[in-house]
Amino acid sequence: MSSRDLASVPAMQVINLGLGRTGSLSFSEAMVVLGFGPCYHMTSVIKTGGKDIDGWTRIQRERPVENLKTILSTYKSAADYPIALYPEVCLEAYPNAKYIISVRPVAAWKRSVQNTILWGCRRLYWLSFIWPLGWRIYNWLQEAIWDGQFEGNFEENAERKFEEHVERVKQVIPERQLLVFQVGEGWERLCKFLEV
């Protein structure tokens, strides 16, 4: 997509920078119901046949805003990985968006990641030997999340990195544009924040 094409792309409206397993799939479904769909989610990476992997890899390594706008050009909202990893790039690309960070008790979040995402990634490694897209997704997840965000040791670093991520988002996103959303609290504060 050229720079001229990017200028005509409608701006992203809502971005949830909460990490995976903080209600992001339910959030993405709520965005559609509330009129902010479609919502980009980690499942979108697979649904698009992995066409975005190269763009996310470049964002991970170089942080170019144009790649983010290209990947998200047909979406009104985004949640979960990979978007959650890049609050600074998001704010630069979408300075007028509304931002949410969904949170939950850290110990419960860690257990949930261990039982779902981490478990799935270990299976994805073996599946990747017969599924080329699986190999590309696995490599990106390894670089960006497991080696990147969690510094190569999820078990040891998870709780600290979760708390650091929440604080980083609070530091990066202006307070007037950010809602800290406790998973399970219901829709009232969310709808008020989104003005719907």
Side-chain angles (χ1 to χ4, degrees):
M1 186 175 284
S2 72
S3 297
R4 189 170 29 154
D5 293 335
L6 284 174
S8 65
V9 171
M12 174 70 55
Q13 296 174 19
V14 183
I15 299 174
N16 184 337
L17 295 169
L19 299 179
R21 305 309 300 164
T22 59
S24 59
L25 187 56
S26 297
F27 177 88
S28 65
E29 293 166 356
M31 289 299 95
V32 173
V33 170
L34 294 174
F36 297 103
C39 183
Y40 194 96
H41 184 273
M42 184 63 198
T43 57
S44 305
V45 173
I46 297 166
K47 289 177 185 175
T48 61
K51 71 176 181 66
D52 302 338
I53 292 290
D54 292 337
W56 287 115
T57 300
R58 187 155 180 246
I59 292 168
Q60 171 67 21
R61 295 176 183 168
E62 303 168 27
R63 306 289 200 258
V65 171
E66 297 77 25
N67 278 52
L68 186 65
K69 287 184 174 183
T70 299
I71 292 169
L72 300 177
S73 66
T74 61
Y75 296 88
K76 290 183 180 178
S77 58
D80 197 53
Y81 294 116
I83 195 81
L85 296 173
Y86 312 110
E88 296 85 357
V89 178
C90 289
L91 186 61
E92 184 179 345
Y94 305 108
N96 299 316
K98 293 196 177 201
Y99 290 87
I100 294 152
I101 177 118
S102 51
V103 296
R104 65 187 286 194
V106 178
W109 167 80
K110 182 179 179 183
R111 278 191 308 277
S112 182
V113 171
Q114 289 167 322
N115 293 332
T116 57
I117 301 172
L118 193 57
W119 180 88
C121 284
R122 289 178 178 145
R123 276 37 178 198
L124 182 60
Y125 172 79
W126 294 108
L127 181 61
S128 68
F129 288 103
I130 58 171
W131 184 41
L133 175 58
W135 185 248
R136 293 179 66 220
I137 293 171
Y138 173 82
N139 282 329
W140 179 83
L141 290 169
Q142 192 66 40
E143 177 182 338
I145 299 173
W146 308 122
D147 290 342
Q149 183 177 35
F150 297 110
E151 300 173 349
N153 191 335
F154 178 81
E155 302 299 326
E156 186 176 309
N157 298 326
E159 293 177 8
R160 175 177 57 85
K161 296 306 270 182
F162 181 92
E163 297 292 349
E164 286 176 3
H165 178 76
V166 172
E167 289 308 309
R168 175 178 161 211
V169 169
K170 288 178 181 179
Q171 292 298 312
V172 170
I173 306 300
E175 188 176 346
R176 71 185 185 289
Q177 287 176 257
L178 180 64
L179 173 68
V180 178
F181 184 75
Q182 182 69 40
V183 172
E185 74 173 87
W187 290 41
E188 187 175 338
R189 283 183 63 236
L190 177 63
C191 290
K192 183 177 180 182
F193 178 72
L194 297 176
E195 300 175 28
V196 293

